Amino acid sequence: MATTHISSGVCLSVLSHRRRINKVRAVASDNVSTPIIELDKVKLGGSDLRVTKLGIGAWSWGDTTYWNLSGWNDRNFKAAKSAFDISIDSGITFFDTAEVYGSALMGAINSETLLGRFIKERKVRDPDLEVAIATKYAALPWRLGRNSVLTALKDSLSRLELSSVELYQLHWPGIWGNEGYLDGLGDAVEQGLVKAVGVSNYSESRLRGAYEKLKKRGIPLASNQVNYSLIYRLPEENGVKAACDELGITLIAYSPIAQGVLTGKYTPENPPTGPRGRIYTPEFLKKLQPLLSRIKEIGEKYSKTPTQVALNWLVAQENVVPIPGAKTADQAVEFAGALGWRLAIEEVNELRSLALEIQPVVGFPVEKL
């Protein structure tokens, strides 16, 4: 049976993981503090902010248009809350959200609102809990000037019920107004509303420009959050990863398991539903099978799941912090098991070589703005 190793040296079987999840849920209901595993942390770029080597993406929390097509209900809420609590118990304390995750217009609950509620409820049990929260500013065409960044940030802080966040990011480059947006990030740091600032979906040239502009104010650009996985390696091909390494900017990898495709649970006969099904088609999944088979074989060698192998492959690239999305407690436990061990360099290279045989899917178009 597969086992999961975490950096504290604890080795738990999948069965014991499930027992542990049940135990933690019982503890949570009794409002008793739960021991939290300490995972190693890394500095986010040139900032003073330290985060766990793997974070949790909260894109799916509250969403009803991409992830939870049947709607957002009490079952989804409880599952997301368990994912949050188990992540904390497993030592993962870095959470990424955004103001556009979860739209009230679509009957959803904003992800920031949910995350803020989870933090508040957890702190009743663990008053000394420290979490690192990252959220993002949406560069919508009608938003202009540095003040729009501060206004949006304060709205995010209100939803999160926090006085500041650890990381504030520009979600994508704007069609115009980018200079003002960067000024707004700098203002947020100087006003003590954030500890560090970053960008997302920025090309190499835009990344370098943002880095230099903030540098003039003595503010480091901490991160660039981009789509990056074993089967979506555009950051390696377009100069973004190299620029991050050169400038000391951490690459935060979203969709690190290709929206679930690298877990191995989808097949040509059982493709994902909803919007993902239009991206990861049966034809694409058929071509992916040799890579998935090899990932599984390597995982068996380390007593790891395909998900853990795919995440560890990203960690092995150095200067990369993956943020897989956890919708359930079981997923949160599995993600923690991607840390505390390392693929051999030969395996890292072999998986990249196999992945080269697969035509990449189309990413978020703003990457090329």
Side-chain angles (χ1 to χ4, degrees), residues 1 74 99 102 106 142 220 231 272 281 287 297 305 317 341 360:
M1 185 173 288
D74 187 58
E99 62 174 327
M106 304 301 293
W142 55 87
I231 59 171
T281 63
K287 296 177 181 178
E297 290 173 358
T305 67
Q317 307 310 310
W341 61 286

Side-chain angles (χ1 to χ4, degrees), residues 32 152 157 229:
V32 178
L157 292 176
S229 71

Side-chain angles (χ1 to χ4, degrees), residues 62-69 103 106 108 275:
D63 171 75
T64 57
T65 59
Y66 196 88
W67 296 102
N68 305 297
L69 299 179
S103 170
M106 304 301 293

Side-chain angles (χ1 to χ4, degrees), residues 228-230 233 235-236 241-242 245 251 253 309-322 342-345 347-352:
Y228 187 29
S229 71
L230 181 56
R233 298 175 312 285
E236 297 178 356
K241 177 64 167 65
D245 294 344
L251 190 155
V309 172
L311 291 172
N312 193 271
W313 184 88
L314 280 174
V315 175
Q317 307 310 310
E318 302 294 349
N319 194 36
V320 175
V321 174
R342 182 64 67 93
L343 289 166
I345 187 63
E347 293 162 338
V348 170
N349 293 335
E350 179 189 1
L351 290 177
R352 178 182 280 105

